[in-house]
Amino acid sequence: MKFTLSSTALSNRLSSLAKVIVNKNSLQILECFLFEIKNGELRITASDSENVMSTKMALETYEGEGSFCVSNRTIMDAVRELPEQPLTFYIDLSNYNIEVTYLNGHYSFTGQTSESFPTMNPMGDGVTELVLDYKQFNAAIARSIFAAGQDELRPAMSGVLFDLNADGLSVVSTDGQKLVRSRILNVNKEEPTSFILPKKPATLLKNMTCKEDTQVVVKFDSRNAEITWADNELMCRLIEGRYPNYQAVIPTDNPNQITIDRKVLIGALRRVLPFANEATQVVRFRTDIGMLELSSEDIDFATSAKETIACDYNGRPMSIGFKGHSFAEILNNIEGNEVVIELADPSRAGVVLPAEQPENEHILMLILPVLLNN
């Protein structure tokens, strides 16, 4: 069997797929990539038994069809340092000897049979299918992952919830202290349904890029999901269990609103936060007409900081505490020049929204306050 393809294209695809592979596998074959040649296409697959990710590449020339496995370290080391040029693979399927030739040299190594490489079963009956814009889908995941929980006792909260109903598709994550809800308004379904995507496949999707405008197709049932876009496919197991009622914790009436430059607020937080108590990271937000004052202190080390920035605020004067690092994370995961911070009182959650919402989306982030010592 023989085929030829671009060294750069192969290296880029392998680098993306390698993120699926874990260092210590119960099955040695999971340390390999699966190569399959059929109908003039090369499909490369990586798996950790719970997540299976594959990509397709058109071949410039090929002879014969078949499949084989090769160690991820071997093949990645072989192509990583090569400049752009054609690579020609020669595979002897009787003994899995592999030779790769390039402009000024060649590699020789041994592959493995593909018979023991695990694959996930195709989706069965009772499948729900969604079709949405890839960039919209990718952005919703990217801005949500940071808020997902890490508590092993609450596995449902360690993933990203996709909640589909008549109002749209809500992509939600929370760790109990902060919450992100990205609602995609042009994707909806009269009969409500949902699934919880684990953090690893969510991170894989976040790190994948797609240059051209394309759509993503999401198919899911009660246990598995299949996500397809461009020449890529990801199949994964879902988190089973009930997600918390996130709607119940989102305030519906926070009358005190701050409109402020997002980057200016991030800069002020970065300057004030180092002087806060290292354990609590509490930053005091004191509001008054036309201004927001940020302050922090660490009594144990006799340090403090205070900074005042201009904003649009017409509510009642208030002092409320937030974890500075968590608030900065929220601001860093919102796009746009200005944000709106909605407050009720020092004991109730604050809501942060972009001043200008993206088309067909509504983004909301929530953070619980911290008790201040007056």
Side-chain angles (χ1 to χ4, degrees), residues 185-206:
L185 304 175
N186 57 346
V187 178
N188 49 58
K189 184 177 176 64
E190 289 299 323
E191 184 179 347
T193 185
S194 64
F195 68 91
I196 307 172
L197 187 68
K199 187 176 290 185
K200 179 171 180 176
T203 303
L204 291 170
L205 290 165
K206 170 192 171 183

Side-chain angles (χ1 to χ4, degrees), residues 154 156-157 161 163 165 172-174 176 179-181 183 194 196 241-251 366:
R154 295 187 290 181
M157 292 173 62
L161 172 69
D163 187 18
N165 54 43
V172 181
S173 63
T174 182
L179 179 146
V180 176
R181 186 195 68 190
R183 181 173 285 166
S194 64
I196 307 172
R242 184 184 295 274
Y243 203 82
N245 183 7
Y246 66 91
Q247 297 282 21
V249 302
I250 298 176
L366 175 148

Side-chain angles (χ1 to χ4, degrees), residues 214-270:
T214 190
Q215 290 183 317
V216 57
V217 178
V218 182
K219 298 179 182 178
F220 64 95
D221 56 21
S222 60
R223 298 192 62 185
N224 302 303
E226 179 184 292
I227 302 165
T228 308
W229 71 102
D231 295 324
N232 307 291
E233 180 182 81
L234 172 66
M235 297 183 69
C236 63
R237 292 203 177 101
L238 301 174
I239 296 176
E240 298 182 36
R242 184 184 295 274
Y243 203 82
N245 183 7
Y246 66 91
Q247 297 282 21
V249 302
I250 298 176
T252 56
D253 182 24
N254 276 12
N256 304 298
Q257 295 189 351
I258 305 168
T259 302
I260 193 167
D261 186 289
R262 183 179 66 90
K263 291 183 179 179
V264 170
L265 181 53
I266 291 172
L269 273 172
R270 287 175 177 168

Side-chain angles (χ1 to χ4, degrees), residues 49-353:
S49 76
E50 292 192 350
N51 304 283
V52 179
M53 193 170 181
S54 62
T55 185
K56 292 187 296 185
M57 301 174 64
L59 296 174
E60 298 173 13
T61 61
Y62 77 102
E63 294 178 9
E65 296 184 347
S67 62
F68 62 94
C69 292
V70 60
S71 163
N72 76 90
R73 295 184 183 90
T74 300
I75 189 65
M76 291 185 69
D77 288 345
V79 302
R80 183 181 290 119
E81 300 300 330
L82 288 175
E84 168 56 27
Q85 60 187 289
L87 297 180
T88 300
F89 284 69
Y90 299 87
I91 304 96
D92 186 342
L93 292 178
S94 64
N95 54 19
Y96 295 99
N97 284 335
I98 301 170
E99 182 172 340
V100 182
T101 62
Y102 56 97
L103 187 60
N104 297 314
H106 75 279
Y107 302 120
S108 294
F109 48 89
T110 303
Q112 299 181 45
T113 176
S114 61
E115 292 178 359
S116 60
F117 194 91
T119 57
M120 295 187 72
N121 296 325
M123 304 290 288
D125 298 330
V127 172
T128 300
E129 180 175 317
L130 306 177
V131 180
L132 60 159
D133 179 76
Y134 178 80
K135 291 182 179 178
Q136 199 176 46
F137 172 78
N138 182 268
I141 292 176
R143 74 171 67 97
S144 302
I145 290 178
F146 83 95
Q150 301 182 25
D151 188 348
E152 294 181 357
L153 299 177
R154 295 187 290 181
M157 292 173 62
S158 68
V160 177
L161 172 69
F162 286 73
D163 187 18
L164 181 64
N165 54 43
D167 294 329
L169 173 64
S170 294
V171 182
V172 181
S173 63
T174 182
D175 61 3
Q177 297 297 317
K178 53 187 180 290
L179 179 146
V180 176
R181 186 195 68 190
S182 298
R183 181 173 285 166
I184 301 173
L185 304 175
N186 57 346
V187 178
N188 49 58
K189 184 177 176 64
E190 289 299 323
E191 184 179 347
T193 185
S194 64
F195 68 91
I196 307 172
L197 187 68
K199 187 176 290 185
K200 179 171 180 176
T203 303
L204 291 170
L205 290 165
K206 170 192 171 183
N207 292 332
M208 292 295 290
T209 58
C210 191
K211 294 180 181 179
E212 69 276 10
D213 292 335
T214 190
Q215 290 183 317
V216 57
V217 178
V218 182
K219 298 179 182 178
F220 64 95
D221 56 21
S222 60
R223 298 192 62 185
N224 302 303
E226 179 184 292
I227 302 165
T228 308
W229 71 102
D231 295 324
N232 307 291
E233 180 182 81
L234 172 66
M235 297 183 69
C236 63
R237 292 203 177 101
L238 301 174
I239 296 176
E240 298 182 36
R242 184 184 295 274
Y243 203 82
N245 183 7
Y246 66 91
Q247 297 282 21
V249 302
I250 298 176
T252 56
D253 182 24
N254 276 12
N256 304 298
Q257 295 189 351
I258 305 168
T259 302
I260 193 167
D261 186 289
R262 183 179 66 90
K263 291 183 179 179
V264 170
L265 181 53
I266 291 172
L269 273 172
R270 287 175 177 168
R271 290 186 287 272
V272 170
L273 187 55
F275 296 88
N277 182 279
E278 188 173 346
T280 63
Q281 295 187 337
V282 175
V283 174
R284 181 190 296 264
F285 286 56
R286 188 176 72 83
T287 62
D288 209 331
I289 295 175
M291 59 82 69
L292 171 65
E293 180 187 273
L294 303 183
S295 61
S296 63
E297 64 177 349
D298 188 341
I299 297 174
D300 295 336
F301 292 93
T303 62
S304 64
K306 183 182 293 185
E307 184 168 334
T308 302
I309 48 181
C311 66
D312 182 6
Y313 181 71
N314 295 313
R316 63 182 180 84
M318 182 192 315
S319 286
I320 184 170
F322 294 109
K323 281 195 172 184
H325 177 71
S326 295
F327 208 101
E329 279 188 310
I330 285 176
L331 295 174
N332 283 321
N333 283 279
I334 292 180
E335 295 181 353
N337 296 325
E338 291 188 327
V339 293
V340 176
I341 305 170
E342 299 180 346
L343 305 172
D345 60 60
S347 64
R348 293 171 61 187
V351 173
V352 184
L353 310 102

